[in-house]
Amino acid sequence: MPHASRRARLAAELPEHGATAILVTWPVNVRYLTGLSSSNAAVLVDSSGEAVLATDSRYIETARRRCPDVELIVSRDVAGVLAARAGGSPGGLLVEADHMPVSLFTALGGAERVTPVSGLVESVRRVKDEGEIESLRRACAITDEAFSLVIGRIRPGVTEREIARWLEFRMMELGAEKPAFDSIVASGPNGSIPHHSPSDRQIETGDLVTMDFGALFEGYHADMTRTVAVGEPAGWQRDLYELVRQAQRAGRHALRPGAAAREVDAAARDLITEAGHGEHFEHGLGHGVGLEIHELPFLGPDKTGRLEDRVPITVEPGVYLPGRGGVRIEDTLVTRDDGPELLTLTTKELLVL
């Protein structure tokens, strides 16, 4: 089963930290390692890859169905019962520093009994198995199709909020569990706000409209952004769109196993900077996607590390002109040894509606 191989990869990291086991309490990481989605569960993984899963009575039947290869314990105090089960020498049990509340850390004995570690499970999650990639592929296909069904309804007079609602309805109608995140629809001058919340502003002729949205399928998050023109675009709008399109293409082509995160970012950012818009592109070029919408790795001028094979990641440059509007183009891709696999397939040519 894929969860056993994931636990084995995590177990292989424990000796480097001088640990005999790790107590995982973050729900996303528990799901990754066991298959159980729960608001109250934890899993103990030892250095051999063996696991004990604790959850309360509300989820135990689901756990029996979905997690047949792990030992189960029924308890409300999921972390406490597993910490007691671990026993061992002081400090030999790792806990998730990024997610464990101070109150729980203290209850487990603090630094005298457990050792906080940052991002260990997340680093294992970074490289996806083919089953995970297939779920992402399905999520992206739903996202593409929803866009194709909504694009014909965008015209002067409809609101940003209506477009967001149409996209989200279509994604769920096509099989998404729900939207992967709160959809962004930014029209006209609102396009200069990268994470604008859809408003009741009506679309006007001459607007650029940026839509950032995605479907959630089997727990995996798609992420795509497209910018369209309503009515014949002005010269500056076409120029801006073409600049971002070329930058996005350069970023996509730079994705490969072994590439440095900051070098991939630079492939796109340098084009925008050379065109005089460096100050109008201040966010990172992209981020990993999977069981969370933003996860390792991250692409940016200050990011470290190198990409590996089978890493789903976004490439999303944008240029934002205050008071005028903006353009962002984003795809979800997977790094491959023979070149990146594009999961979001909607055209990146400027659509004029």
Side-chain angles (χ1 to χ4, degrees):
M1 295 184 69
H3 301 102
S5 64
R6 296 170 190 174
R7 294 193 297 269
R9 289 168 56 204
L10 176 61
E13 300 293 326
L14 297 182
E16 181 178 338
H17 297 272
T20 56
I22 181 170
L23 173 61
V24 178
T25 53
W26 182 237
V28 173
N29 289 340
V30 173
R31 177 174 183 169
Y32 175 75
L33 294 168
T34 69
L36 179 65
S37 181
S38 167
S39 65
N40 187 37
V43 62
L44 179 71
V45 180
D46 67 21
S47 55
S48 71
E50 293 298 311
V52 183
L53 174 65
T55 190
D56 64 53
S57 59
R58 296 172 296 168
Y59 300 102
I60 193 62
E61 186 60 27
T62 301
R64 290 192 179 106
R65 294 178 183 179
R66 297 185 179 177
C67 317
D69 59 338
V70 299
E71 180 184 347
L72 299 176
I73 295 177
V74 184
S75 176
R76 290 287 296 178
D77 181 16
V78 294
V81 71
L82 290 180
R85 173 69 175 265
S89 58
L93 177 63
L94 299 181
V95 296
E96 297 180 287
D98 300 318
H99 307 299
M100 180 169 284
V102 172
S103 58
L104 178 55
F105 178 71
T106 302
L108 295 179
E112 294 183 1
R113 300 298 304 174
V114 297
T115 301
V117 63
S118 179
L120 185 56
V121 182
E122 287 82 355
S123 68
V124 173
R125 280 173 41 200
R126 180 171 49 201
V127 174
K128 305 298 191 285
D129 58 51
E130 291 299 337
E132 292 180 282
I133 293 171
E134 179 57 27
S135 294
L136 272 170
R137 193 179 288 116
R138 293 282 302 278
C140 290
I142 290 170
T143 303
D144 279 326
E145 188 170 356
F147 181 80
S148 72
L149 293 171
V150 169
I151 193 68
R153 301 183 68 181
I154 299 175
R155 59 178 61 90
V158 304
T159 68
E160 294 173 343
R161 204 185 307 275
E162 286 176 312
I163 297 170
R165 187 168 64 245
W166 294 339
L167 287 168
E168 293 175 354
F169 172 78
R170 286 299 189 183
M171 287 190 291
M172 289 186 285
E173 187 179 55
L174 291 165
E177 298 167 36
K178 61 180 181 179
F181 52 92
D182 290 339
S183 300
I184 296 168
V185 178
S187 64
N190 291 338
S192 68
I193 305 170
H195 276 197
H196 172 71
S197 295
S199 71
D200 289 324
R201 182 187 186 275
Q202 293 184 347
I203 306 303
E204 299 176 4
T205 299
D207 279 351
L208 292 175
V209 181
T210 296
M211 292 159 281
D212 186 343
F213 62 105
L216 181 72
F217 184 80
E218 294 180 343
Y220 286 81
H221 297 69
D223 198 355
M224 182 175 83
T225 304
R226 291 294 185 268
T227 300
V228 301
V230 178
E232 186 60 30
W236 72 268
Q237 292 173 320
R238 283 194 178 275
D239 291 345
L240 196 65
Y241 189 93
E242 184 60 20
L243 172 62
V244 174
R245 190 176 75 87
Q246 291 297 334
Q248 206 259 357
R249 181 177 183 272
R252 286 188 286 112
H253 287 189
L255 287 177
R256 65 185 185 280
R262 60 165 59 99
E263 291 174 357
V264 177
D265 179 90
R269 190 175 303 275
D270 288 352
L271 290 178
I272 293 174
T273 299
E274 290 166 6
H277 287 295
E279 67 185 51
H280 301 135
F281 174 35
E282 296 187 346
H283 59 72
L285 181 65
H287 54 86
V289 290
L291 287 172
E292 294 181 282
I293 187 58
H294 298 109
E295 58 181 59
L296 294 174
F298 293 91
L299 303 176
D302 60 344
K303 302 305 179 185
T304 59
R306 295 184 178 274
L307 300 179
E308 300 168 86
D309 187 35
R310 304 198 319 273
V311 174
I313 196 164
T314 68
V315 175
E316 50 180 302
V319 175
Y320 313 96
L321 306 181
R324 301 181 73 189
V327 174
R328 182 165 67 255
I329 303 172
E330 174 186 24
D331 284 308
T332 297
L333 307 96
V334 181
T335 56
R336 299 285 193 180
D337 287 330
D338 57 354
E341 177 187 356
L342 184 64
L343 298 187
T344 44
L345 303 179
T346 298
T347 182
K348 285 170 280 293
E349 297 295 327
L350 177 59
L351 296 177
V352 179
L353 309 179

